[in-house]
Amino acid sequence: MKLFSSVHDVTDINALVADALQLKQNPYAHQHLGKNRTIGLVFLNPSLRTRMSTQKAALNLGMNVMVLNIDKEGWALELKDGAVMNGTTVEHIREAAAVMGQYVDIIGVRSFPGLKNREEDYNEEIFNKFVNYCAVPVVSLESATRHPLQSLADLVTITELKTKPRPKVVLTWAPHIKPLPQAVPNSFAEWMCKADVDFTIAHPKGYELSTDFTNGATITHNQDEALKDADFIYVKNWSAYEPYGKILPSNEDWMLTNEKLQITNAAKVMHCLPVRRNLELSDEILNGRNSIVVHEAGNRVWAAQAVLKKMLESL
Ligand code: SN0
């Protein structure tokens, strides 16, 4: 595997999930693969789980790890071709990415969307520049439109904890005070549409995701209807796709509570984290027995390790 940027880069998602669960049983069995190999993790935005779980995954495989918080510790990066760099940017992404490719065998990149220009974000301009200029395999650590390592960990978690062959999985929109990317819900939707689950998306009117990601899902504006008999509930806020990056007024009643869980099949509640308590998700759920958010975050290691193992095998 030379690129992991979406579900479309994976030939068999069930096999990849099985690999991840196998690695969870036996984390250190492939240390020879990473010997004398280095991964560089480049962050243009904050991270806790992605950073630590991907480092851990690489260390489990015997790799060396370099982390660069390029937004804070690197030279201010110019992204536009043809720019006259007489302002605040110091180094062009063409040189920066190419040079990093000289030092490492695999690069991981986190590049959030600006949420201003939809075309720029949905063309993945920043992420694709890294891919084009670094000349080594690239793994997405969340790009403008997707978070595939998160989605793989989510599918690993559902596969591990399901109690029936084809569980009902519901992605439900949650309130927030800041416009957040569509990357996590886009990505979760496109993985679930390929997985062996019965998949429903619930959101208030106006929060329709791009149909490029939701093809095959049942979509409703009625949260109660969606939650009925759910086995897994995936809670996430996102800003509108149209008008792009905007928050629409008054949907506070979409926060999940214990009362709303009554109509589910004792659903397990998931969230990619970080979660804002009592805004996106109530204390009672996060502190209660239905929440699996920490378990889910733990599985980030095995998802990342399954992907890095595939990349090392193709070096
Ligand atoms: C990011 C997002 O894509 O929604 C990362 C999730 C893994 N989340 C945030 O930016 C949260 C920011 C906040 O202020 O709550």
Side-chain angles (χ1 to χ4, degrees), residues 8 122 146 186 190 209-215 241:
H8 307 298
Y122 274 70
R146 293 176 167 101
N186 279 345
E190 70 178 359
L209 294 165
S210 160
T211 51
D212 290 349
F213 301 88
T214 59
N215 202 4
Y241 180 69

Short mmCIF file of all heavy atoms in Angstrom, two decimals, residues 8 122 146 186 190 209-215 241:
data_model
loop_
_atom_site.label_atom_id
_atom_site.label_comp_id
_atom_site.label_asym_id
_atom_site.label_seq_id
_atom_site.Cartn_x
_atom_site.Cartn_y
_atom_site.Cartn_z
N HIS A 8 -11.18 4.00 -0.43
CA HIS A 8 -10.92 3.56 -1.81
C HIS A 8 -9.49 3.06 -2.00
O HIS A 8 -9.19 2.45 -3.02
CB HIS A 8 -11.22 4.70 -2.79
CG HIS A 8 -12.59 5.27 -2.60
ND1 HIS A 8 -13.73 4.52 -2.78
CD2 HIS A 8 -13.01 6.50 -2.20
CE1 HIS A 8 -14.79 5.27 -2.51
NE2 HIS A 8 -14.39 6.47 -2.15
N TYR A 122 -12.27 20.36 -0.83
CA TYR A 122 -12.71 19.07 -1.38
C TYR A 122 -11.79 18.55 -2.48
O TYR A 122 -11.83 17.36 -2.81
CB TYR A 122 -14.20 19.11 -1.78
CG TYR A 122 -15.06 18.79 -0.56
CD1 TYR A 122 -15.16 19.68 0.51
CD2 TYR A 122 -15.67 17.54 -0.42
CE1 TYR A 122 -15.87 19.36 1.66
CE2 TYR A 122 -16.39 17.21 0.73
CZ TYR A 122 -16.48 18.13 1.76
OH TYR A 122 -17.17 17.79 2.90
N ARG A 146 -11.56 13.79 4.96
CA ARG A 146 -11.63 12.41 5.47
C ARG A 146 -10.70 12.19 6.67
O ARG A 146 -9.69 12.87 6.80
CB ARG A 146 -11.20 11.42 4.38
CG ARG A 146 -12.12 11.33 3.21
CD ARG A 146 -11.53 10.39 2.18
NE ARG A 146 -12.49 10.02 1.16
CZ ARG A 146 -12.53 10.55 -0.05
NH1 ARG A 146 -11.67 11.47 -0.40
NH2 ARG A 146 -13.44 10.14 -0.93
N ASN A 186 -17.95 12.31 6.91
CA ASN A 186 -17.78 11.85 5.52
C ASN A 186 -17.12 10.47 5.50
O ASN A 186 -17.56 9.54 4.83
CB ASN A 186 -16.82 12.77 4.75
CG ASN A 186 -17.46 14.05 4.24
OD1 ASN A 186 -18.68 14.17 4.19
ND2 ASN A 186 -16.64 15.01 3.86
N GLU A 190 -18.51 6.74 4.44
CA GLU A 190 -18.07 5.94 3.29
C GLU A 190 -17.55 4.57 3.71
O GLU A 190 -17.67 3.60 2.96
CB GLU A 190 -17.12 6.69 2.35
CG GLU A 190 -15.76 6.97 2.84
CD GLU A 190 -14.88 7.69 1.79
OE1 GLU A 190 -15.33 7.97 0.66
OE2 GLU A 190 -13.73 7.98 2.14
N LEU A 209 -24.63 15.92 4.06
CA LEU A 209 -23.24 15.72 3.64
C LEU A 209 -23.20 15.56 2.12
O LEU A 209 -24.24 15.29 1.50
CB LEU A 209 -22.67 14.46 4.31
CG LEU A 209 -22.54 14.53 5.83
CD1 LEU A 209 -22.33 13.12 6.41
CD2 LEU A 209 -21.38 15.45 6.26
N SER A 210 -22.02 15.68 1.55
CA SER A 210 -21.89 15.44 0.11
C SER A 210 -22.29 13.99 -0.19
O SER A 210 -21.84 13.06 0.49
CB SER A 210 -20.44 15.67 -0.32
OG SER A 210 -20.22 15.01 -1.55
N THR A 211 -23.11 13.79 -1.21
CA THR A 211 -23.58 12.44 -1.55
C THR A 211 -22.44 11.54 -2.03
O THR A 211 -22.60 10.33 -2.11
CB THR A 211 -24.69 12.50 -2.61
OG1 THR A 211 -24.21 13.31 -3.70
CG2 THR A 211 -25.96 13.11 -2.05
N ASP A 212 -21.29 12.12 -2.33
CA ASP A 212 -20.13 11.30 -2.70
C ASP A 212 -19.75 10.33 -1.58
O ASP A 212 -19.07 9.33 -1.81
CB ASP A 212 -18.89 12.18 -2.98
CG ASP A 212 -19.05 12.98 -4.26
OD1 ASP A 212 -19.99 12.71 -5.02
OD2 ASP A 212 -18.23 13.90 -4.47
N PHE A 213 -20.15 10.66 -0.34
CA PHE A 213 -19.74 9.85 0.82
C PHE A 213 -20.89 9.02 1.38
O PHE A 213 -20.65 8.10 2.15
CB PHE A 213 -19.20 10.77 1.93
CG PHE A 213 -18.01 11.58 1.50
CD1 PHE A 213 -18.18 12.83 0.90
CD2 PHE A 213 -16.72 11.10 1.66
CE1 PHE A 213 -17.09 13.57 0.48
CE2 PHE A 213 -15.63 11.83 1.25
CZ PHE A 213 -15.82 13.08 0.66
N THR A 214 -22.13 9.38 1.07
CA THR A 214 -23.28 8.79 1.77
C THR A 214 -24.10 7.84 0.90
O THR A 214 -25.15 7.38 1.34
CB THR A 214 -24.21 9.91 2.29
OG1 THR A 214 -24.66 10.68 1.17
CG2 THR A 214 -23.50 10.81 3.27
N ASN A 215 -23.61 7.56 -0.29
CA ASN A 215 -24.36 6.71 -1.21
C ASN A 215 -24.59 5.32 -0.61
O ASN A 215 -23.63 4.63 -0.29
CB ASN A 215 -23.57 6.60 -2.52
CG ASN A 215 -24.47 6.21 -3.65
OD1 ASN A 215 -25.69 6.10 -3.47
ND2 ASN A 215 -23.88 5.97 -4.81
N TYR A 241 -22.40 21.65 4.63
CA TYR A 241 -21.69 21.53 3.35
C TYR A 241 -22.15 22.65 2.41
O TYR A 241 -21.41 23.16 1.59
CB TYR A 241 -21.98 20.14 2.76
CG TYR A 241 -21.31 19.86 1.44
CD1 TYR A 241 -19.92 19.68 1.36
CD2 TYR A 241 -22.05 19.74 0.26
CE1 TYR A 241 -19.31 19.42 0.15
CE2 TYR A 241 -21.45 19.46 -0.95
CZ TYR A 241 -20.07 19.31 -1.01
OH TYR A 241 -19.47 19.04 -2.21
#
